[in-house]
Amino acid sequence: MSDASTDLPGRTYKVWAMDDVVYGPIQPDAMRQWIAELRVLPDMWVYPTDILKWVHAKELDEFAADFRRQPAAKPAPADNPSPLIEGVPPGTLRKAGLFADMDDQQLGRFAQFMQVAREKQFNIVVREGEKGDVMYLVLEGVLRVRRIIGGRETVMATLKPGDFFGEMSLFDKGERSADVVVNEDATLLKISRSAFQELIAKIPEVATPFLHALGRTMAGRIRADNDRLKRDVLVLRATRTRSN
């Protein structure tokens, strides 16, 4: 039985599914079918595209009758949680420091602006000197930041899950300062400058905790670089003193 009479004109839906992948947009009839098939449960997050806000499915009046007819769902086994992103170990995204201050709804809304990229070993994700317009977050794998100096590779840093790179491209159109090369097959999340600007314009309450976390990490990097420079200067001065 369809409850199309309760549908809102033009409204479609995105669904944050049990595998933590966002599907849609879908039409109301498809939502009813998914509810009947237990693919959409009352406490799952749904994004009506006309209100730009994640809500629990049970809060949508147009589907109240469908949920009343829905059979009881079997709970998922406690030792077999759904992955946050298909093929990525459960909890990976939540462990990333950049998302530590976000609640589930904020994280789900932020996910609308991200894309997944899977990179094979030896791929060069970004190249020194290229114009950058994308920031990357490492979900899986290992990468290295390198520069080619005098024909030799100098490794500047090693990136592991939870690390990120290319963040300056969200704020300017400058050139990449180094290559980033995949050491081990990697899964990355990426957000472009244009998507980030859209995020700030449409849902600043989600952009704010991300910017705070990004700023804290960048400040930590600057302090670490300053400490390293201070140590280098002290060593250089001590070497000059001994040589004199």
Side-chain angles (χ1 to χ4, degrees):
M1 177 180 175
S2 174
D3 293 303
S5 61
T6 63
D7 292 346
L8 297 177
R11 174 175 285 188
T12 58
Y13 307 86
K14 295 183 181 181
V15 177
W16 191 358
M18 286 183 287
D19 58 2
D20 282 328
V21 176
V22 176
Y23 295 94
I26 62 173
Q27 298 294 325
D29 285 347
M31 270 288 291
R32 292 194 171 88
Q33 182 177 346
W34 286 17
I35 292 171
E37 296 172 351
L38 299 180
R39 294 175 64 185
V40 177
L41 302 178
D43 288 325
M44 288 172 55
W45 292 107
V46 175
Y47 187 86
T49 53
D50 60 327
I51 65 174
L52 301 178
K53 180 181 179 181
W54 286 93
V55 298
H56 284 115
K58 62 186 177 185
E59 299 175 38
L60 298 171
D61 292 339
E62 59 266 39
F63 300 120
D66 299 277
F67 282 118
R68 285 196 295 269
R69 292 191 292 269
Q70 187 179 60
K74 295 181 179 180
D79 59 349
N80 187 28
S82 298
L84 188 60
I85 296 174
E86 188 173 1
V88 176
T92 300
L93 188 56
R94 177 54 71 190
K95 293 178 182 177
L98 286 179
F99 305 118
D101 294 338
M102 292 188 185
D103 59 29
D104 287 345
Q105 183 173 143
Q106 289 173 322
L107 187 56
R109 297 172 78 184
F110 192 91
Q112 299 297 299
F113 297 85
M114 296 184 293
Q115 294 180 317
V116 178
R118 301 190 187 277
E119 299 286 348
K120 294 294 185 181
Q121 187 179 25
F122 307 127
N123 283 2
I124 300 177
V125 181
V126 302
R127 295 180 182 272
E128 182 179 358
E130 289 182 342
K131 296 290 186 180
D133 64 353
V134 176
M135 172 186 166
Y136 296 87
L137 171 72
V138 183
L139 291 183
E140 286 186 313
V142 179
L143 304 92
R144 69 184 184 276
V145 182
R146 73 174 188 188
R147 298 191 70 186
I148 303 300
I149 302 174
R152 290 188 171 185
E153 177 180 295
T154 299
V155 176
M156 315 296 291
T158 300
L159 304 174
K160 297 180 180 179
D163 292 332
F164 59 88
F165 60 96
E167 65 278 4
M168 295 306 297
S169 64
L170 297 182
F171 306 102
D172 65 26
K173 299 180 180 180
E175 297 179 350
R176 302 288 194 187
S177 59
D179 298 335
V180 178
V181 185
V182 181
N183 288 356
E184 301 174 5
D185 289 0
T187 301
L188 310 175
L189 279 181
K190 61 182 184 179
I191 180 169
S192 67
R193 184 189 307 114
S194 60
F196 185 64
Q197 291 171 346
E198 183 181 1
L199 173 72
I200 293 173
K202 289 185 174 180
I203 42 176
E205 69 274 17
V206 173
T208 297
F210 175 76
L211 284 169
H212 282 170
L214 185 63
R216 284 197 303 269
T217 305
M218 293 175 68
R221 290 180 178 179
I222 292 171
R223 289 193 181 95
D225 288 343
N226 287 341
D227 289 342
R228 189 161 44 247
L229 177 60
K230 181 179 179 180
R231 290 194 299 269
D232 290 345
V233 169
L234 291 174
V235 170
L236 179 60
R237 288 176 177 173
T239 302
R240 287 177 175 175
T241 299
R242 287 195 296 269
S243 63
N244 291 334

